[in-house]
Amino acid sequence: MFKLDGKVAIITGGSRGIGAACAEAMAEQGAHVVVNYVRGEDKAREVAERIIAKGGKAEIAGFDVADSEATEKAIEGIAKKHGRLDIMVANAGIAIDGLLLRLKDEDLQKLFDTNVRGALACARAATRPMMKARTGRIIFVSSVIGEMGNVGQTAYAATKAALLGITKSIAREYASRNVTVNAIAPGFIETDMTHGMNDAMKEYVLKNIPLARVGTAKEVAAAALYLASDEAAYVTGQVLRVNGGMYV
Ligand code: NAP
């Protein structure tokens, strides 16, 4: 089950956290993974080296998803080099938190450029080779916050909610080409992104998770692996929640 032998997968933001776990999980199942990063070349290289050391196939690719021209060019190049692109995990994302009254336009811009326009550019570039091949998997990494909102995360929630509308629309647009499009909505996952949270916030979040613990990047990667697999061929336009019951 969930074998990805011979498939090529691009994971944006694959240098750390959830993206790195997705890259490792997919490589373990036989995919050739392209580990994208924007600043963390060393970390991306470490991920690729770990995969290769275990007998897997990986390479790194630096591009800023907020730069849609560079992103589309890079993805086109990867698809051309390998003669295929089977899986696109649009995972790269940033969080800038703050109450609405303190929300700056420039932060809003940064968030939308990376989390929304970036993910869209990835999907747009990926659908071209996928449409031709009449098969493909696009997976967006949204968030529980996009579904339930949170104090101090209005802008972030807006970007993550946008991904859900995008998922459902693209799923309808490309279903006839056998390209499935789904989103994962992780809850509170232990990564660099959540390390910065203060203790009071962490305590509050934990109280609201029925499984009473934070999740791991591996647990999110397992969901991505499923959606990328042949076994998920009849699943499209869906939101797979990996949140410990935080939002049901
Ligand atoms: P993380 O540990 O902060 O890692 C973020 C990743 O995104 C890094 O690999 C980073 O690359 C990359 N990245 C950021 N901006 C980029 C850009 N402009 N272009 C290319 N890559 C970029 O975050 P994470 O917790 O793993 O989160 C991954 C995704 O899951 C995000 O979309 C996040 O919103 C979502 N999510 C996370 C949680 C959570 O609790 N952690 C919950 C729900 C959803 P560099 O290393 O090069 O900086």
Side-chain angles (χ1 to χ4, degrees):
M1 292 260 271
F2 311 138
K3 294 309 279 179
L4 300 179
D5 291 314
K7 305 210 181 219
V8 174
I10 299 179
I11 292 98
T12 65
S15 51
R16 294 184 275 128
I18 291 170
C22 288
E24 292 186 54
M26 290 184 185
E28 237 169 67
Q29 293 304 313
H32 177 108
V33 299
V34 180
V35 180
N36 158 256
Y37 64 92
V38 62
R39 280 170 296 269
E41 181 172 350
D42 291 349
K43 296 265 179 199
R45 206 176 290 286
E46 279 169 28
V47 174
E49 282 170 2
R50 264 203 308 276
I51 289 170
I52 291 164
K54 285 192 202 157
K57 296 185 257 331
E59 67 186 87
I60 63 168
F63 56 87
D64 180 353
V65 298
D67 178 345
S68 43
E69 211 179 302
T71 297
E72 296 202 33
K73 213 168 145 194
I75 293 170
E76 231 172 74
I78 292 161
K80 207 168 166 193
K81 175 177 155 191
H82 293 280
R84 62 192 299 155
L85 176 58
D86 304 279
I87 301 156
M88 162 59 66
V89 185
N91 161 79
I94 55 169
I96 305 174
D97 297 340
L99 297 172
L100 176 63
L101 283 173
R102 299 205 187 112
L103 189 61
K104 294 193 213 109
D105 278 352
E106 66 198 71
D107 290 340
L108 203 56
Q109 181 82 45
K110 242 188 247 168
L111 275 165
F112 271 87
D113 281 354
T114 307
N115 296 2
V116 182
R117 285 188 48 247
L120 267 179
C122 292
R124 194 163 52 204
T127 49
R128 288 190 194 110
M130 289 179 182
M131 266 165 56
K132 266 196 207 148
R134 294 198 164 262
T135 179
R137 298 277 186 272
I138 296 176
I139 301 162
F140 291 106
V141 181
S142 175
S143 168
V144 67
I145 303 303
E147 293 193 288
M148 63 184 280
N150 194 21
V151 173
Q153 292 199 293
T154 300
Y156 178 75
T159 64
K160 293 297 172 177
L163 291 180
L164 303 181
I166 288 168
T167 298
K168 293 172 192 187
S169 302
I170 306 181
R172 289 180 187 276
E173 236 173 89
Y174 292 98
S176 64
R177 306 299 178 103
N178 199 32
V179 175
T180 69
V181 186
N182 293 287
I184 297 174
F188 190 94
I189 309 298
E190 189 72 51
T191 67
D192 290 348
M193 189 174 272
T194 46
H195 277 160
M197 260 185 161
N198 65 41
D199 288 347
M201 187 57 139
K202 274 191 186 160
E203 199 181 313
Y204 171 79
V205 171
L206 273 176
K207 266 192 210 148
N208 290 288
I209 302 175
L211 285 178
R213 65 172 178 86
V214 299
T216 66
K218 266 192 170 183
E219 288 168 323
V220 181
L225 180 60
Y226 164 65
L227 291 173
S229 71
D230 289 346
E231 283 75 8
Y234 200 54
V235 179
T236 196
Q238 303 303 311
V239 182
L240 182 43
R241 298 177 179 132
V242 185
N243 65 21
M246 189 174 169
Y247 178 80
V248 292

